Amino acid sequence: MTKRARLIYNPTSGREEMRKRLPEILQRLERGGLETSTHATIGEGDATLAAADAIERGFDIIIAAGGDGTLYEVINGMAEKAYRPALGILPLGTTNDFARALNIPRSWEGAVDVILQQHTRPIDVGKMNQRYFINIAGGGSLTELTYEVPSKLKTMIGQLAYYMKGLEKLPRLRPIELYIRTDEGELHEEVMLFLISNSNSVGGFERLAPDASLSDGLFDVLILKKCNLAEFIRLVTLALRGEHLGDPNIIYFQTRHIQVTSPDYVQINLDGEFGGTLPCVFTNLPSHLHIFVDESGQSVYKTNPLQQIKLPWKIKAGVDGNEQEEQ
């Protein structure tokens, strides 16, 4: 039986590949047995409405094509629904932290083939007040980078844009006062930033939360205590190697539920998007969504994994298969 899919894509994504490749993507999905209709987003929040509409119309699959921002909006259109279709991801944006965490191929061909395998994995979803996130929530000056960097600059130089903006903000970093309450205890601390992570891939750092799991029902919480600029730079260096968790300036713990308040004005970042301000309550929703992943576990984000993925159709060499894709 043919399944119906709704492809929601951002036509102004950091990689212009989507516009050019859309006919090929749709053809590949159709050959794999998916009857796919498309929705091109037209502004902020539109992907959320499109995902909710797809559920109301009874689609079997929703596919988010774009970066972490597009995925965030799609999640928010799905998370509150009683019926939540399986979710596919085409990581075509400037930043694709969540796709990297799941080893979903960055190449559109490989990512489509992962969807066509029809193998899903249950994934935890984070809820903050009345919003949802799938990868990371945080607060503090540096967490504001992702929505402060102009979209044109991201398109031009990609991830480098965030690092440039970060260097610009470093001299102006200021601590914030936090009151944190979890099921395990309470904490009052002056901090530079806090991160509530669902995966191990955050802002291009693949070892920031090395023990994080997408399906354990727990958040991994990292808090950077008040420190000077030199200490901060040293900790960034440690984080690149995954050696930061033992540092006395770092507070790390796991929890299912966390309440954060502050007398200061603190903006919240949800999956790279502005999510409001404190106070906030964060709750982990275990196995809330099912996302397509490579059943073999061999695909990787950074390289083309087409030779590793078993496709669900017969390949005609030199016409429509791996031989053609390698050219």
Side-chain angles (χ1 to χ4, degrees):
M1 181 178 175
T2 300
K3 292 187 176 181
R4 297 169 61 231
R6 170 62 59 86
L7 173 64
I8 301 170
Y9 70 96
N10 180 0
T12 61
S13 178
R15 295 166 67 194
E16 297 298 324
E17 187 177 18
M18 188 63 196
R19 290 178 180 174
K20 181 174 64 176
R21 296 295 187 182
L22 184 57
E24 297 173 84
I25 291 172
L26 293 176
Q27 182 184 51
R28 197 176 190 92
L29 289 168
E30 183 178 359
R31 285 173 46 236
L34 297 185
E35 180 184 316
T36 307
S37 64
T38 64
H39 178 93
T41 58
I42 57 175
E44 184 178 351
D46 189 52
T48 297
L49 297 175
D53 178 71
I55 291 175
E56 294 299 321
R57 292 173 180 267
F59 279 85
D60 304 295
I61 294 169
I62 293 176
I63 301 172
D68 289 328
T70 301
L71 180 59
Y72 165 75
E73 289 198 6
V74 168
I75 294 300
N76 275 274
M78 299 178 65
E80 289 192 349
K81 303 296 184 181
Y83 164 63
R84 297 181 292 275
L87 176 63
I89 300 174
L90 301 184
L92 303 177
T94 304
T95 59
N96 307 286
D97 273 331
F98 190 72
R100 183 186 289 107
L102 282 177
N103 280 323
I104 294 173
R106 185 167 168 80
S107 71
W108 70 265
E109 301 100 326
V112 167
D113 289 343
V114 165
I115 295 170
L116 294 178
Q117 287 183 19
Q118 298 289 289
H119 177 76
T120 62
R121 172 183 170 184
I123 297 296
D124 302 338
V125 172
K127 182 177 183 180
M128 187 218 76
N129 296 351
Q130 299 305 311
R131 302 295 293 173
Y132 298 85
F133 62 98
I134 200 166
N135 196 52
I136 184 73
S141 297
L142 282 181
T143 65
E144 301 166 10
L145 291 180
T146 49
Y147 46 84
E148 285 188 356
V149 176
S151 59
K152 186 174 182 180
L153 185 60
K154 286 190 287 186
T155 300
M156 290 172 60
I157 60 176
Q159 191 80 23
L160 180 60
Y162 297 108
Y163 300 137
M164 290 172 59
K165 191 70 176 180
L167 290 173
E168 176 187 315
K169 291 179 71 75
L170 280 180
R172 293 182 280 123
L173 285 179
R174 295 291 182 270
I176 55 177
E177 185 178 2
L178 288 189
Y179 292 87
I180 294 177
R181 177 180 296 175
T182 72
D183 296 337
E184 295 77 25
E186 298 184 8
L187 176 69
H188 176 211
E189 191 79 43
E190 279 194 295
V191 311
M192 306 307 289
L193 61 87
F194 69 94
L195 298 173
I196 300 171
S197 180
N198 196 32
S199 86
N200 66 342
S201 180
V202 180
F205 289 77
E206 297 182 30
R207 300 178 182 177
L208 199 60
D211 298 325
S213 168
L214 287 162
S215 53
D216 63 355
L218 295 171
F219 293 129
D220 284 54
V221 182
L222 289 93
I223 300 170
L224 173 59
K225 295 181 183 180
K226 178 181 177 180
C227 62
N228 59 39
L229 183 57
E231 290 172 326
F232 178 81
I233 293 173
R234 179 183 61 81
L235 282 165
V236 170
T237 303
L238 289 176
L240 287 170
R241 302 195 300 264
E243 299 173 358
H244 56 295
L245 294 187
D247 191 277
N249 286 307
I250 296 291
I251 299 172
Y252 166 75
F253 58 90
Q254 293 180 313
T255 188
R256 302 176 188 276
H257 184 85
I258 179 169
Q259 178 180 337
V260 185
T261 61
S262 176
D264 302 318
Y265 176 79
V266 181
Q267 296 183 9
I268 300 300
N269 181 311
L270 298 180
D271 289 339
E273 304 297 319
F274 176 67
T277 59
L278 292 182
C280 293
V281 175
F282 301 86
T283 304
N284 189 291
L285 306 178
S287 302
H288 198 66
L289 290 176
H290 284 74
I291 296 183
F292 291 111
V293 297
D294 178 21
E295 185 174 12
S296 71
Q298 295 179 351
S299 68
V300 293
Y301 171 76
K302 293 181 180 178
T303 59
N304 191 331
L306 295 178
Q307 296 297 327
Q308 300 171 338
I309 297 177
K310 294 181 180 178
L311 304 180
W313 57 78
K314 291 183 179 180
I315 298 298
K316 293 182 180 180
V319 177
D320 205 17
N322 291 352
E323 183 174 313
Q324 182 185 34
E325 289 155 354
E326 291 176 343
Q327 292 176 359

